[in-house]
Amino acid sequence: MKMPSRNNNIDENKDRLSDLCDYLLIHILSFLRSKIAVQTCILSTRWRNLWKQLPFLSLYSSNTLPRLSEFASQFLSLRDGSTSLFVLKFYNFCNEGFMEPHILDKILQYAISHNIQHLHIFLKCDIQHFPSCLFSCDTLTSLRFNVTPIRYDKPKILFPNSLNLPSLTSLSLGFIAFRGGPDLFLAYPRLKRLEIAHFEILGEENLCISSTTLVGLAIEFSFEPKNNRKIELFTPNLCAFTFMGTPFQILFGNPLSSVKHIEIHADIRWSYAEAPSILLRWFLEFVDIESLIVSSNTLQVLSLVPNLLRVKLSSLRNLKSLKVKRDELSHRLSKILIDANLAQLPPRSENEAARLQEVFKVGSSSIPDEMINFLLQNSTSKEFHIIN
């Protein structure tokens, strides 16, 4: 059978990609790092100036910051100044060196003057190196701010209280210090999602998170508290709560009937005897959870509560989805579990401690069956999964 001949009018070598409109080509370039996107200018004359219209700038450094600074300066000086710069991602994974203040100021001033909306900053820097206009930018909708001081012997960066970001809907803060008090988050009238991680609370007051618009809150806490400061929540419309780290005092200042989705990855990283009881208190304070994700370590921490199996968790009465995620036991938690089990057992053979060490060895991902049964018996969930 004779195969149909190809249409000779079709040029097989035609560059169909370059025939796409500028909008689609710029959209394709937006998935690349800025340095690679700029390099496409050598493909042909069609691509020579496309990168100059990119609405984003992503800067990643894992070695030398001077070269990154030079690239950023050239990028901003050559791009089309009439094009808005909606997204700026600035990541420095270099252990040594820091961004020169005048370069940082130039980049941020440029971004703010070109309608920046999404700003991600992971840098080693000092707070005074940031231009004041950053903290009063009326176009910024999303801010991820993870900044460590230039010298490790300095305290954490103190996040400023006097901010005015009226369009901000998503805020992520890491490796910083808060000055306690009630007014910090009142400057964000549209804030919907908040993440805080690896933080400290300074001063004599608790950290108050007060927002009527907040629907999602994520907290990661891995440092030993240096004082008795707590977090107080006044978030009547909070829908999703995520926690990772060692449980500490969080005071829920309003009924939690609005919280439907909970995810907890608890651990004990230091000698904190109250952590299991605090974790249980959280479960008791939630009212009507619909989906719950917990790690295997969370169940191990919860199992340390005396007479836990007698407790009734009414918050799980309408649970629709339960997922347990396997994770590795930390050294501290494994030791606590061994000591707790030995304390509950009468004197036995010398092999008892060795057996427990094998059960609760560091790196294991065992999920206690009694804890699974405890959760299922307290809930009506028809969907249960163990995930890795």
Side-chain angles (χ1 to χ4, degrees):
M1 181 177 178
K2 185 178 179 181
M3 297 297 292
S5 60
R6 296 193 178 196
N7 188 344
N8 294 328
N9 294 326
I10 298 178
D11 184 0
E12 296 182 6
N13 296 322
K14 187 175 182 179
D15 183 1
R16 297 183 180 181
L17 183 61
S18 295
D19 283 343
L20 296 176
C21 65
D22 286 1
Y23 174 81
L24 289 177
L25 292 178
I26 291 172
H27 180 69
I28 292 172
L29 291 179
S30 68
F31 292 96
L32 304 176
R33 292 189 179 183
S34 295
K35 186 175 181 179
I36 298 175
V38 171
Q39 291 172 345
T40 62
C41 70
I42 66 173
L43 295 177
S44 68
T45 55
R46 174 74 175 88
W47 292 79
R48 183 173 298 166
N49 296 312
L50 280 175
W51 69 269
K52 298 180 181 179
Q53 303 175 56
L54 289 175
F56 77 94
L57 172 59
S58 57
L59 301 171
Y60 294 79
S61 173
S62 58
N63 40 49
T64 59
L65 276 172
R67 293 179 61 185
L68 181 68
S69 301
E70 180 182 359
F71 170 78
S73 296
Q74 293 182 353
F75 183 97
L76 297 181
S77 63
L78 294 175
R79 77 181 296 271
D80 182 357
S82 65
T83 303
S84 294
L85 184 64
F86 290 134
V87 181
L88 172 59
K89 297 182 179 181
F90 209 155
Y91 296 87
N92 173 29
F93 301 108
C94 181
N95 291 326
E96 297 183 1
F98 58 92
M99 176 61 61
E100 296 180 22
H102 73 279
I103 297 294
L104 178 62
D105 182 80
K106 178 181 179 180
I107 294 172
L108 292 178
Q109 291 275 12
Y110 184 96
I112 293 166
S113 65
H114 285 74
N115 306 314
I116 186 70
Q117 294 182 7
H118 307 279
L119 179 60
H120 297 189
I121 298 179
F122 291 75
L123 287 179
K124 184 189 297 183
C125 190
D126 287 328
I127 193 70
Q128 63 266 25
H129 294 160
F130 292 92
S132 59
C133 58
L134 170 63
F135 302 113
S136 59
C137 178
D138 58 5
T139 61
L140 197 61
T141 62
S142 173
L143 174 62
R144 298 183 65 87
F145 192 85
N146 288 259
V147 178
T148 56
I150 294 174
R151 291 175 49 185
Y152 286 108
D153 57 345
K154 283 190 174 183
K156 284 186 172 62
I157 297 293
L158 181 61
F159 196 70
N161 278 23
S162 55
L163 300 181
N164 180 25
L165 301 173
S167 301
L168 199 69
T169 60
S170 178
L171 177 62
S172 175
L173 302 171
F175 299 98
I176 59 170
F178 296 109
R179 187 182 290 109
D183 300 327
L184 179 59
F185 297 97
L186 294 178
Y188 318 118
R190 298 183 181 181
L191 189 63
K192 293 184 177 180
R193 291 174 178 80
L194 173 64
E195 299 177 5
I196 54 176
H198 314 298
F199 58 92
E200 293 181 8
I201 303 173
L202 308 178
E204 300 298 323
E205 298 181 273
N206 295 333
L207 174 63
C208 297
I209 300 177
S210 179
S211 173
T212 59
T213 59
L214 195 67
V215 296
L217 174 63
I219 298 175
E220 184 173 354
F221 192 71
S222 57
F223 298 117
E224 184 173 0
K226 297 180 180 179
N227 49 41
N228 294 320
R229 304 295 164 263
K230 308 173 181 65
I231 289 182
E232 298 182 30
L233 296 182
F234 299 93
T235 52
N237 295 307
L238 189 65
C239 181
F241 175 74
T242 301
F243 181 86
M244 181 178 294
T246 302
F248 69 105
Q249 291 284 359
I250 298 179
L251 306 178
F252 301 98
N254 50 270
L256 295 177
S257 57
S258 64
V259 181
K260 304 298 182 183
H261 310 286
I262 306 292
E263 182 170 352
I264 298 180
H265 301 264
D267 203 342
I268 299 180
R269 296 289 183 179
W270 59 82
S271 300
Y272 195 40
E274 296 183 5
S277 60
I278 289 175
L279 180 59
L280 175 61
R281 197 177 310 143
W282 291 355
F283 280 103
L284 294 175
E285 293 200 40
F286 292 115
V287 177
D288 197 13
I289 305 174
E290 292 183 0
S291 70
L292 174 63
I293 300 176
V294 292
S295 65
S296 55
N297 277 2
T298 301
L299 298 183
Q300 297 285 16
V301 173
L302 200 58
S303 71
L304 295 170
V305 176
N307 301 316
L308 174 69
L309 301 183
R310 299 178 184 178
V311 176
K312 297 295 183 182
L313 297 182
S314 59
S315 59
L316 305 183
R317 61 193 172 194
N318 292 320
L319 193 67
K320 298 177 182 178
S321 173
L322 172 62
K323 296 180 181 179
V324 178
K325 186 179 185 303
R326 297 181 184 273
D327 56 5
E328 295 184 353
L329 276 177
S330 65
H331 183 274
R332 182 65 192 168
L333 181 55
S334 64
K335 185 178 186 305
I336 291 173
L337 290 168
I338 293 171
D339 292 342
N341 279 269
L342 286 175
Q344 295 174 10
L345 294 171
R348 299 199 179 185
S349 67
E350 296 180 356
N351 294 329
E352 190 66 48
R355 185 187 68 80
L356 288 173
Q357 288 176 353
E358 179 63 25
V359 172
F360 297 118
K361 65 182 179 181
V362 175
S364 68
S365 57
S366 60
I367 302 176
D369 292 337
E370 68 275 10
M371 294 303 301
I372 295 292
N373 294 332
F374 171 69
L375 292 180
L376 292 175
Q377 289 172 3
N378 277 275
S379 73
T380 58
S381 175
K382 296 181 180 179
E383 180 183 339
F384 169 63
H385 300 284
I386 295 178
I387 56 179
N388 295 314

